[in-house]
C-alpha cells in the first residue's frame, strides 16, 4: 500500500520540516548499512517468507501483524506494488515521527494483473499424475512442499454436503487441491451457457442491423468525386482485339468446320467384343473365344503336368472323343520344339465353326434366390405349440411301441414290448392300472366316445377290448352289457371265411378277445365308437377286417389289395376308408363299395398315414425319412414333400383342434409342424416347420416309436425305445 498526502498538507509544511525529515532518513539508511550481512539476509528471508505466507494463506498471523506494525519512532515504509522499483519506494517513504494523522486518505487502486490471486500450486506445466503417489502436490515460491489436503470419505462428504446449503456451488480444483465456491454471477453465467444463450445477460443477439452506408437523412454520397472520363470513351484495347480476330478469319487462321468427322475403319483387334458388337449392330453375336494355353502346354512344364508311361497307355484305352487332345511334353530348348501336327486341322475346324455353326442369343433371367423362398410367418405368431419336455412317464421295462390319449385328455394308455399295458394320469404321471398281456403289444387305441372308456389292444394274433374302469356307475353298467358275450361267435359269411376270426370272452382281464389267423399290426376306431378295424400285414383281401362291437360281427372289405397293407384309417366325417400299402394309399367308399382315389407318394416304403380333421388332406410318412402332404381336391400327387428326418419315420399324427401335425423317427427326434388348411379352395395350405423335440435315447437302433397329440391342449406325447413316455408342452 502506498501512503499519499494531500496537497494542502504539503503547502503547510515548511522547508525546514522537509529538510529534517530527509536527515532522519539518511541516518536510518546508514544504520541499516552498518548491520552485518547475516542479519540482513535473515531479515530479508523472513520478510519474503511472511509475504509468501500472506499470499498463500490469506490474512497474516498475529506475529506477522506485530512485526509489520511500526513501534515507537520507527519509520513507516510504503512500497508501490505496481512499479516495484527502488526509486519509487524511496520517493514514497515518509517519516511520521510517531505522530498520527487521521486526515490522510488511503486509496487502493491498481489495474495490474499482479493483483489477481496467484495459483497456490506453482508446479508449472508438470502433469499432476506424477504426484498421485506423493504426499504433496507441488512447491511454493520458497521451495517448500505443498502438502495435499486430507480427503474426506464419501460418507462424510455426503453428510457435509447435506448440511451445507451451498454445497452445490462448490467445485473441487484439482490443480490447486482446494474447493472453490462459485458466486451467483458465475452460476448465472454457467446456466446461460448450458441453455445455449450468451454469457452476459445484457447482450442482445437480435439487435437491429445498422447500415452504416445508407440512412434516411443522408445528403451526400460516400464519394463526391466526379465520374471519370474513361467511362464515356470506347476502349482502344477492345477495338484492337476485335481487329485481330477479323484479320484471323480473313486469313483463314480460324476456320468453322461444319462437316462431321469421318470415323476410321481401323479398330483394335485385341479389344473387347462389346465394342465390335456395337459397331456391327445388335444382331451380331460374337464367336466364342479359344481357351488360352495353360502350364501344361508349355515347352518345359513342371513334372506334375507330365504324365507317366502308364497314364499314357491308360489314355489310349479311352474312346477318342473322350480322350484329351493334347498330352504335355518336355523339351530342353525352345528351338527343339517341333511343329504342331494338328495346327492346320484345328484352324480349319475353327473357320468352319465361325461361318457354319449357328449362334443364338439366349437371355438369362437374373433372379434373386431370396425371392424364390416362400415367405413364412414368424414362429412367434404361430404359438401355441409344444416346445419343451414337461413330464416323463416311467414304468415300462421294454420299448414303448404305442401311446394313446383318452377323449377328455385326463388319461393316456401305453403298450410295450414287455407285454404290459399301463394307464397313466396325464397331469400327475401316476400309473392307475397295469395289464399283463403276456405277448409283445403292437398297438393300443382308446375309444373316441367319452361315455365308453374302452381300450383296444393288439398283441400277437389277439385283439383285446378291455374296460378301463373309468366313468360313472351308469357308464360301467352299459359297458358290462356291451362286453358281455356268452359263446364264441364266428362271422356269418360263407364257410371259406369261417376261420377268419372268433369272438370270445377274456376271463383273465374281463373283456372281449378277438382271435385272428395272423398277427395284428394295426388298430383303428371309427368316430362313432362302435366299429373297429384291424390290419394283418399280408397280401390278401381278408388282411383288413372291420368289427362291429354292438352286434359282435366281423366282415372283410370287398376290395382286392395290390400290395402289402401297412396301416388303415377312417375318414373323420364321411364313410370313407383309407388303406395304405408300401407303395401307395387307396381311398375306398364304404357305402358304394368302390375305389375313389389312389394317392402316389413316390417314396421307398410307406410307414404310416394320418387324416386331417377336415378330411380333405392326408399326410404320409415313409421309411426314407420323407413326409408327404396330399390335398385330395388337387391331385393324386403330393402337394408338398418334406424331408425332416434322417432315418425312418415311424408315426405321423394330426391334432384334433389346433393346426398342428407331427412326425417321429428313429433318429430320436419328433418334429412339430404348423399345417393351416383354409376354407377358401383357391388358397393352398400353409405348412411351417415349428420345433424339433429331443429327449429320447436310442435303443437297438430305434428312436421315437409313436407320437400322439393331446385331444384338447397343444401337447404332444411321445413313446420311445428307451421305455420312456414324454409329455411336451408349450
Amino acid at each position: 500500500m502506498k501512503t499519499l498526502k494531500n496537497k494542502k498538507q504539503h503547502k503547510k509544511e515548511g522547508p525546514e520540516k522537509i529538510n529534517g525529515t530527509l536527515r532522519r532518513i539518511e541516518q536510518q539508511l546508514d544504520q541499516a548499512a552498518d548491520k552485518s550481512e547475516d542479519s540482513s539476509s535473515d531479515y530479508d528471508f523472513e520478510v519474503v517468507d511472511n509475504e509468501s505466507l500472506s499470499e498463500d494463506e490469506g490474512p497474516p498471523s498475529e506475529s506477522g501483524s506485530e512485526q509489520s506494525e511500526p513501534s515507537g519512532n520507527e519509520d513507516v515504509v510504503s512500497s508501490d506494488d505496481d512499479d516495484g522499483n527502488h526509486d519509487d519506494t524511496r520517493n514514497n517513504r515518509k517519516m511520521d515521527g510517531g505522530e498520527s494523522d487521521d486526515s490522510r486518505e488511503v486509496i487502493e487502486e491498481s489495474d495490474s494483473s499482479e493483483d489477481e490471486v496467484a495459483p497456490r500450486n506453482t508446479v508449472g506445466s508438470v502433469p499432476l499424475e506424477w504426484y498421485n503417489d506423493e504426499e504433496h502436490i507441488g512447491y511454493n515460491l520458497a521451495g517448500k512442499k505443498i502438502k495435499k489436503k486430507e480427503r474426506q470419505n464419501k460418507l462424510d462428504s455426503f453428510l457435509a454436503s447435506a448440511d451445507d446449503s451451498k454445497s452445490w456451488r462448490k467445485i473441487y480444483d484439482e490443480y490447486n487441491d482446494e474447493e472453490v465456491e462459485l458466486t451467483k454471477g458465475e452460476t448465472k453465467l454457467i446456466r446461460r451457457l448450458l441453455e445455449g444463450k450468451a454469457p452476459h445477460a445484457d447482450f442482445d443477439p437480435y439487435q437491429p442491423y445498422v447500415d452504416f452506408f445508407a440512412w434516411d437523412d443522408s445528403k451526400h454520397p460516400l464519394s463526391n468525386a466526379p465520374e471519370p472520363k474513361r467511362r464515356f470513351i470506347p476502349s482502344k484495347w477492345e477495338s484492337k482485339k476485335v481487329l485481330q480476330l477479323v484479320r484471323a478469319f480473313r486469313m483463314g487462321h480460324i476456320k468453322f468446320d461444319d462437316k462431321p468427322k469421318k470415323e476410321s475403319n481401323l479398330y483394335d483387334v485385341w479389344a473387347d467384343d462389346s465394342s465390335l458388337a456395337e459397331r456391327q449392330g445388335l444382331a451380331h453375336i460374337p464367336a466364342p473365344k479359344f481357351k488360352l494355353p495353360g502350364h501344361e502346354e508349355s515347352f518345359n512344364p513342371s513334372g506334375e503336368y507330365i504324365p507317366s508311361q502308364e497314364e499314357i497307355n491308360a489314355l489310349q484305352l479311352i474312346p477318342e472323343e473322350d480322350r484329351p487332345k493334347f498330352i504335355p511334353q518336355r523339351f530342353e530348348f525352345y528351338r527343339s520344339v517341333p511343329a504342331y501336327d494338328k495346327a492346320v486341322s484345328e484352324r480349319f475346324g475353327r473357320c468352319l465353326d465361325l461361318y457354319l455353326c449357328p449362334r443364338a442369343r439366349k437371355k438369362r433371367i437374373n433372379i434373386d434366390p431370396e425371392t424364390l423362398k416362400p415367405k413364412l410367418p414368424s414362429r412367434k405368431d404361430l404359438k401355441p405349440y409344444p416346445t419343451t419336455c414337461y413330464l416323463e412317464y416311467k414304468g415300462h421295462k421294454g420299448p414303448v411301441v404305442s401311446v394313446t390319449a383318452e377323449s377328455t385328455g385326463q388319461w393316456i394308455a401305453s403298450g410295450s414290448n414287455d407285454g404290459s399295458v399301463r394307464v397313466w394320469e396325464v397331469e400327475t404321471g401316476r400309473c392307475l392300472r397295469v395289464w399283463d398281456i403276456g405277448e409283445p403289444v403292437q398297438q393300443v387305441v382308446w375309444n373316441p366316445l367319452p361315455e365308453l372308456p374302452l381300450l383296444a389292444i393288439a398283441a400277437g394274433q389277439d385283439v383285446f377290448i378291455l374296460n378301463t374302469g373309468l366313468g360313472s356307475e351308469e357308464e360301467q353298467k352299459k359297458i358290462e352289457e356291451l362286453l358281455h358275450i356268452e359263446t364264441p361267435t364266428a362271422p356269418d359269411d360263407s364257410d371259406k371265411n369261417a376261420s377268419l376270426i372268433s369272438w370270445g370272452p377274456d376271463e383273465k382281464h374281463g373283456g372281449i378277445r378277438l382271435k385272428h389267423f395272423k398277427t395284428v399290426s394295426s388298430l383303428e376306431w371309427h368316430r362313432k365308437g362302435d366299429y373297429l378295424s384291424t390290419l394283418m400285414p399280408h397280401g390278401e383281401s381278408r388282411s383288413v377286417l372291420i368289427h362291429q362291437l354292438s352286434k359282435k360281427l366281423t366282415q372283410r372289405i370287398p376290395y382286392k389289395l395290390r400290395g402289402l397293407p401297412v396301416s388303415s384309417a377312417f375318414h373323420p366325417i364321411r364313410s370313407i376308408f383309407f388303406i395304405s400299402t408300401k407303395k401307395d394309399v387307396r381311398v375306398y367308399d364304404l357305402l358304394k363299395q368302390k375305389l375313389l382315389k389312389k394317392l402316389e407318394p413316390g417314396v421307398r416304403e410307406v410307414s404310416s398315414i394320418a387324416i386331417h380333421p377336415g378330411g380333405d388332406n392326408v399326410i404320409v410318412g415313409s421309411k426314407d425319412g420323407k413326409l408327404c402332404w396330399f390335398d385330395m381336391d388337387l391331385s393324386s400327387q403330393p402337394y408338398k414333400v418334406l424331408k425332416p428326418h434322417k432315418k425312418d419315420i415311424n408315426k405321423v399324427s394330426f391334432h384334433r383342434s389346433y393346426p398342428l401335425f407331427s412326425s417321429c423317427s428313429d433318429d430320436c427326434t419328433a418334429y412339430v409342424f404348423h399345417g393351416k388348411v383354409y376354407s377358401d379352395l383357391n388358397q393352398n395350405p400353409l405348412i411351417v416347420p415349428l420345433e424339433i423335440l429331443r429327449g429320447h435315447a436310442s435303443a437297438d437302433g430305434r428312436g421315437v416309436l409313436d407320437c400322439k397329440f393331446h385331444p384338447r391342449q397343444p401337447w404332444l406325447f411321445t413313446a420311445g425305445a428307451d421305455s420312456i413316455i414324454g409329455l411336451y408342452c408349450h
Side-chain angles (χ1 to χ4, degrees):
M1 295 173 60
K2 56 185 178 177
T3 307
L4 301 178
K5 294 183 179 181
N6 295 332
K7 295 180 180 180
K8 295 180 180 180
Q9 189 175 359
H10 283 289
K11 291 179 181 180
K12 291 178 182 179
E13 291 180 351
E16 296 179 357
K17 191 173 181 179
I18 295 173
N19 294 331
T21 304
L22 293 175
R23 292 192 194 99
R24 292 191 193 99
I25 293 172
E26 290 178 359
Q27 290 176 4
Q28 290 184 1
L29 291 175
D30 294 336
Q31 291 176 3
D34 294 336
K35 292 181 180 181
S36 61
E37 294 179 358
D38 298 335
S39 61
S40 63
S41 61
D42 295 338
Y43 178 77
D44 296 338
F45 180 78
E46 291 176 0
V47 172
V48 171
D49 195 12
N50 291 333
E51 290 177 358
S52 63
L53 289 174
S54 64
E55 292 177 359
D56 295 339
E57 300 177 2
S61 61
E62 293 180 359
S63 60
S65 63
E66 291 175 358
Q67 292 177 5
S68 62
E69 291 179 358
S71 62
N73 297 327
E74 293 180 1
D75 300 333
V76 178
V77 181
S78 60
S79 61
D80 190 354
D81 294 335
D82 293 340
D83 298 340
N85 297 326
H86 295 287
D87 296 338
D88 296 338
T89 56
R90 289 180 182 179
N91 294 332
N92 293 330
R93 289 175 182 173
K94 301 296 179 182
M95 182 64 66
D96 295 341
E99 298 177 359
S100 62
D101 190 358
D102 297 332
S103 63
R104 293 181 299 170
E105 296 181 0
V106 180
I107 302 173
E108 296 181 4
E109 294 180 356
S110 177
D111 58 351
S112 174
S113 62
E114 296 180 0
D115 291 342
E116 298 178 359
V117 178
R120 180 171 171 268
N121 187 6
T122 58
V123 72
S125 61
V126 175
L128 294 179
E129 300 173 357
W130 295 2
Y131 295 97
N132 287 341
D133 300 332
E134 303 293 337
E135 296 180 355
H136 60 284
I137 198 173
Y139 301 89
N140 57 11
L141 295 175
K144 292 185 178 181
K145 295 181 179 180
I146 301 175
K147 294 186 177 181
K148 295 180 180 179
K149 292 182 180 180
E150 294 184 0
R151 298 287 181 86
Q152 292 181 342
N153 54 17
K154 293 186 177 181
L155 182 59
D156 294 340
S157 62
F158 174 72
L159 294 175
S161 62
D163 296 337
D164 189 3
S165 61
K166 297 183 179 180
S167 60
W168 62 277
R169 287 190 184 181
K170 294 181 180 180
I171 299 175
Y172 175 68
D173 185 4
E174 184 180 2
Y175 185 76
N176 293 319
D177 193 20
E178 62 182 0
E179 285 188 354
V180 180
E181 184 176 352
L182 300 177
T183 62
K184 292 184 179 180
E186 291 173 343
T187 54
K188 290 181 180 179
L189 188 141
I190 293 173
R191 188 178 295 110
R192 291 183 64 85
L193 288 175
L194 292 175
E195 293 176 357
K197 299 179 181 179
H200 299 284
D202 55 351
F203 175 75
D204 185 12
Y206 306 107
Q207 58 185 354
Y209 173 72
V210 179
D211 191 359
F212 296 98
F213 301 100
W215 57 94
D216 297 337
D217 299 334
S218 60
K219 297 180 180 180
H220 303 284
L222 294 178
S223 176
N224 285 332
E227 292 290 336
K229 186 179 180 181
R230 63 179 178 271
R231 297 184 182 177
F232 305 98
I233 299 176
S235 175
K236 294 182 179 180
W237 182 86
E238 290 181 357
S239 61
K240 290 181 180 179
K241 190 66 177 176
V242 172
L243 186 60
Q244 290 179 0
L245 293 174
V246 171
R247 289 177 180 174
F249 289 138
R250 290 177 179 176
M251 297 296 292
H253 298 300
I254 299 177
K255 295 181 180 179
F256 294 101
D257 192 2
D258 297 334
K259 297 179 182 180
K261 295 182 179 179
K262 294 182 180 180
E263 295 184 0
S264 177
N265 294 328
L266 303 177
Y267 61 92
D268 189 3
V269 178
W270 306 106
D272 193 7
D273 290 340
S274 59
S275 61
L276 184 62
E278 293 176 359
R279 185 167 53 254
Q280 296 186 1
L282 295 176
H284 174 73
I285 301 175
K289 293 184 178 181
F290 257 113
K291 181 184 177 181
L292 297 177
H295 295 287
E296 65 275 3
E297 297 185 10
S298 173
F299 76 96
N300 190 10
S302 57
E304 60 185 1
Y305 293 101
I306 299 176
S308 60
Q309 188 62 35
E310 296 178 357
E311 295 175 349
I312 295 175
N313 296 335
L315 292 175
Q316 299 298 328
L317 302 176
I318 300 175
E320 187 175 358
E321 58 272 7
D322 298 334
R323 195 181 305 167
K325 298 180 180 180
F326 181 80
I327 298 176
Q329 296 180 1
R330 174 176 293 178
F331 300 95
E332 295 183 358
F333 305 103
Y334 188 72
R335 60 178 178 271
S336 61
V337 178
Y340 186 43
D341 53 350
K342 298 181 180 179
V344 177
S345 61
E346 286 186 359
R347 291 298 98 188
F348 181 71
R350 173 67 174 173
C351 294
L352 293 178
D353 294 340
L354 290 177
Y355 77 92
L356 288 181
C357 294
R359 293 190 292 273
R361 187 184 300 275
K362 293 183 179 180
K363 292 184 179 181
R364 181 177 296 176
I365 303 174
N366 295 325
I367 300 175
D368 187 9
E370 296 295 331
T371 59
L372 300 177
K373 295 182 180 179
K375 295 182 179 180
L376 301 178
S378 176
R379 296 196 304 170
K380 296 180 180 179
D381 301 334
L382 303 178
K383 290 182 178 181
Y385 55 86
T387 56
T388 55
C389 184
Y390 172 72
L391 196 62
E392 289 183 350
Y393 307 90
K394 297 181 180 180
H396 289 286
K397 297 181 181 179
V400 183
V401 296
S402 179
V403 63
T404 180
E406 192 235 347
S407 59
T408 61
Q410 186 178 0
W411 311 95
I412 61 169
S414 61
S416 174
N417 283 345
D418 59 1
S420 64
V421 176
R422 294 174 179 263
V423 177
W424 311 81
E425 189 176 6
V426 174
E427 295 183 355
T428 62
R430 178 174 60 94
C431 183
L432 179 66
R433 195 164 183 180
V434 180
W435 290 285
D436 188 9
I437 304 300
E439 291 184 78
V441 178
Q442 298 295 329
Q443 191 175 3
V444 291
V445 184
W446 214 299
N447 194 291
L449 297 180
E451 62 270 12
L452 292 178
L454 299 176
L455 195 64
I457 304 168
Q461 296 182 359
D462 298 331
V463 174
F464 300 91
I465 302 176
L466 305 180
N467 182 12
T468 58
L470 305 175
S472 62
E473 295 181 359
E474 296 179 358
E475 293 176 353
Q476 289 297 321
K477 291 180 180 180
K478 184 179 179 180
I479 291 172
E480 290 177 0
E481 294 177 359
L482 185 64
L483 297 181
H484 179 70
I485 184 170
E486 295 180 355
T487 56
T489 59
D492 53 354
D493 291 343
S494 62
D495 296 338
K496 296 181 180 179
N497 300 326
S499 61
L500 285 178
I501 189 173
S502 62
W503 290 71
D506 185 13
E507 298 178 356
K508 181 179 179 181
H509 305 102
I512 296 178
R513 181 177 181 181
L514 283 75
K515 186 70 175 178
H516 292 70
F517 67 95
K518 290 283 186 178
T519 301
V520 180
S521 62
S522 176
L523 297 174
E524 189 70 26
W525 282 100
H526 191 263
R527 65 180 184 277
K528 294 183 178 180
D530 192 27
Y531 295 94
L532 177 69
S533 69
T534 58
L535 185 143
M536 292 165 285
H538 64 89
E540 300 178 5
S541 60
R542 59 178 183 170
S543 59
V544 180
L545 303 175
I546 297 177
H547 313 280
Q548 188 176 3
L549 184 60
S550 59
K551 296 182 180 181
K552 311 297 187 297
L553 296 177
T554 301
Q555 59 181 349
R556 61 182 179 87
I557 57 173
Y559 317 114
K560 188 174 182 179
L561 299 178
R562 303 288 182 180
L564 192 65
V566 176
S567 62
S568 62
F570 286 99
H571 195 278
I573 301 174
R574 293 179 288 177
S575 59
I576 294 177
F577 192 61
F578 295 84
I579 299 176
S580 66
T581 62
K582 288 188 175 182
K583 296 298 181 181
D584 53 23
V585 178
R586 297 175 180 267
V587 185
Y588 297 98
D589 191 342
L590 295 177
L591 296 179
K592 298 180 180 180
Q593 295 186 0
K594 67 175 183 179
L595 179 65
L596 294 179
K597 186 173 287 189
K598 179 182 177 182
L599 306 179
E600 298 177 356
V603 295
R604 185 184 68 189
E605 182 179 345
V606 176
S607 60
S608 63
I609 62 172
I611 315 301
H612 190 270
D616 294 334
N617 295 272
V618 181
I619 54 174
V620 178
S622 66
K623 293 289 185 179
D624 52 358
K626 292 182 180 180
L627 180 66
C628 303
W629 178 292
F630 285 91
D631 191 345
M632 297 180 62
D633 294 335
L634 289 179
S635 172
S636 61
Q637 301 297 325
Y639 159 69
K640 192 79 70 176
V641 178
L642 308 175
K643 191 173 183 181
H645 299 281
K646 297 180 181 178
K647 294 185 178 180
D648 300 353
I649 294 179
N650 295 319
K651 287 289 181 180
V652 291
S653 64
F654 271 107
H655 200 285
R656 293 184 184 178
S657 55
Y658 288 90
L660 299 173
F661 68 95
S662 65
S663 64
C664 60
S665 172
D666 285 337
D667 58 1
C668 301
T669 61
Y671 275 72
V672 180
F673 300 88
H674 175 86
K676 179 69 173 178
V677 178
Y678 299 95
S679 58
D680 186 6
L681 298 179
N682 294 326
Q683 193 169 2
N684 294 328
L686 177 63
I687 301 174
V688 181
L690 293 179
E691 194 71 28
I692 303 174
L693 304 179
R694 296 181 174 89
H696 289 277
S698 178
D700 297 333
R702 303 301 301 275
V704 184
L705 303 180
D706 195 7
C707 61
K708 289 289 189 303
F709 278 103
H710 192 276
R712 298 183 180 180
Q713 298 291 337
W715 302 346
L716 183 68
F717 299 98
T718 57
D722 53 357
S723 69
I724 296 176
I725 303 169
L727 170 60
Y728 292 86
C729 301
H730 62 284

